[in-house]
Amino acid sequence: MPVSNPSFFRRHPRLFGLLASCELAALAYLGAFLLRFDLALPPTYGAVLLATLPGLLACKLAGFAAVGLFGRSWRHVGMRDLEAILLGNLAGSGLFLALMVLGRGLEDFPRAVFPLDLILCTGLVAGVRLGLRAVGEGRRRRAPRRVETLVLVVGAGETGMRLVEEIEQRDHLRLAPVGFVDDDPGKQGLCIGGVPVLGPLEALPALVRRHEVGEVLVAIPSATGSLLKRIVQGCREAGVRHRVVPTLGSLVEGRVVVTQMREVKVDDLLARAPVRLDLPGVREQIAGRRVLVTGAAGSIGSELCRQLAGYGPERLVLYDRHENGMFALEMELRARFPQVRLEPVLGDVLLPDQLDAVFGAHRPERVFHAAAYKHVPLAERNVLEAVRNNVVGTRNVAQAALAHGTREMLLVSTDKAVRPTSVMGVTKRVAEMVVRGLGGRGCRFVAVRFGNVLGSNGSVVPLFREQIARGGPVTVTDPDVTRYFMTIPEATQLILQAAGLGGGGEIFILEMGDPVRIADLARNMIRLSGFEPDEDVPLVFTGLRPGEKMHEELVDDGEATLPTPNDRIRVLEANPVPRLAEWLPTLEACVRTGDVGTTVRLLQVLVPGYRPSPELPTAPLRAGARPGARTSAAPSEVEPLRRVRA
């Protein structure tokens, strides 16, 4: 091989590959002739060999170039490289056979040379590359290696094997795998990639102690919440640190990098099957289209923008009044999706003129309305602002969509809209009525209801995390209070899926799995932080706050659900809603005049299941009255709405 100047070829690896391939192909061709004639090559056939060698080399190099063999590393050969070597040799031998048949002819050419050359050339090229890899790995093994932590790998599958290879190739990690743990009976006692399978998952604590393991690496990207709970419990019993590989959706081309591994998060412990998206259907709805997201800087809105950008919209309009959040989101999206045209707009859903200008300038075909006040205690203390933002703001966005030819608008709703006990919940229920009441005018209006979102701004997870960091106490309202939970990416994926299902006027319900006890969630978070609940970090129960319920629901009395093509989404059977003109002007008038009491009464009339908090005023505030003062009801204002509901 031409290795007289190794540094030159290290700088020009493609040239090295071309020259080395020429030499190996020539050697294989000579070997094929020698084998054909039992190592005694007649002079006449030696002349044939020399005459046909240039054509053979040209065909082989063309075949190797066709499969990109010259751009592949010689020292880091894998299965894909071996496949390329075989395909390149098949292509080269095929070309050479065609050249001989159509050109020189086969009269005095030994035909057995064709298969012999194919076999020898494939074996030589693959063998040399594998030999170089073996030499390099042998040197690494013989070199003194400093190991600081012994690791146990959970999962002896493809991901586990790749993880072990990654550990062994990166000396600076100072890790060494002692074995696998896997529940598959067929793998027990086997040695996979030089690493033994030591036992099933139930043996994990004993194996950690026996082999002095310092860390457990979980190499099961598709692990369910229940399986991760078992693994975490075993690691806790053994008192050992544990990390997991990213989920399947986060792994890039199946590559596992140790530095990508992370701590187990509370999201991982949700016992729910992974979401299955109809990717072609979602892409058809978004790709090449103009999309607008209100509340873009919020938890749900920002994740919607990330996932929408991944489907290649013609433009993505970000609409929010939160300046800092919008700036951070724009910088993130421009870095991750430079090909997407972004239009960040600082705006308010309460400004119809501004909405009209934005819709007129960008003509969005799809609108995702995620802007809302969602914090229950704040909405209880700011009734009029909650109604103004959640109800009137929804009406403003919907009217702008109708006026500018938007094809579909999706309202992000909540399970708190079912038999609401809070201002936040009842205003979202009335917002559903708004979009349903505006349907049938050229724009498809749909709504999506789902429960709490883990990790969203103001949710219990960041609150618990802060409380644990301070050493506690962790505050929970009631020992038995439960909530439905989803991760932010899961919720937004299902929102996108539901967007393409409706014909207009539907309310979709996302399957939320089983409700989670908040006290159990708090204890899991404490344990994941390395503490013991009630010993290291105490739990304190504070009682339900105004507007809060013990248990949330997704379907109200009298509402029936029907299946959809996606088994994680159901649709409510449509019930008639009163015409907006019969009630919305009255509600707006109460908000404008600061009439909290009548506003609450009107909400009760519109949503008969609404049970307001006792702390709320239930009668109108008159001019000059003290805020919060309770006076008599206003029958003249409420009765027309009672007749509408009837």
Side-chain angles (χ1 to χ4, degrees), residues 601-602 605 634-646:
R601 286 293 182 92
L602 296 181
V605 172
S636 61
E637 297 181 29
V638 176
E639 282 308 316
L641 289 180
R642 293 193 191 279
R643 289 195 293 272
V644 168
R645 291 300 307 181

Side-chain angles (χ1 to χ4, degrees), residues 502-631:
E506 296 92 347
I507 297 177
F508 293 100
I509 310 294
L510 304 189
E511 190 276 311
M512 298 292 300
D514 296 324
V516 176
R517 287 201 341 157
I518 302 298
D520 293 341
L521 178 67
R523 291 189 175 96
N524 280 332
M525 289 192 64
I526 293 170
R527 292 190 180 103
L528 288 176
S529 301
F531 303 107
E532 193 60 33
D534 300 318
E535 295 180 11
D536 303 318
V537 179
L539 260 69
V540 174
F541 297 101
T542 59
L544 291 175
R545 294 172 296 183
E548 289 187 325
K549 299 166 69 174
M550 186 70 74
H551 310 289
E552 299 288 2
E553 305 153 283
L554 289 168
V555 180
D556 206 339
D557 289 336
E559 289 182 332
T561 63
L562 300 172
T564 70
N566 189 304
D567 59 0
R568 303 291 299 280
I569 303 172
R570 296 184 68 84
V571 60
L572 289 179
E573 286 187 328
N575 295 321
V577 295
R579 293 173 55 238
L580 300 188
E582 296 172 339
W583 60 270
L584 189 51
T586 305
L587 188 62
E588 285 188 89
C590 291
V591 171
R592 281 196 306 271
T593 59
D595 197 338
V596 178
T598 302
T599 298
V600 174
R601 286 293 182 92
L602 296 181
L603 293 174
Q604 283 183 282
V605 172
L606 288 169
V607 184
Y610 171 44
R611 302 187 304 278
S613 167
E615 284 80 3
L616 287 179
T618 55
L621 290 177
R622 296 306 181 194
R626 290 184 298 105
R630 295 173 184 261
T631 59

Side-chain angles (χ1 to χ4, degrees), residues 136-148 167-176:
E137 291 181 353
R139 287 175 178 170
R140 283 196 297 270
R141 291 193 188 99
R142 288 192 298 272
R145 186 181 181 196
R146 183 178 177 184
V147 175
E148 294 182 352
I167 291 171
E168 291 180 341
Q169 290 172 4
R170 298 196 176 204
D171 294 343
H172 67 277
L173 295 173
R174 297 177 181 176
L175 303 175

Side-chain angles (χ1 to χ4, degrees), residues 445-458:
F445 291 99
V446 296
V448 176
R449 275 184 203 164
F450 55 93
N452 292 31
V453 178
L454 279 175
S456 63
N457 296 332

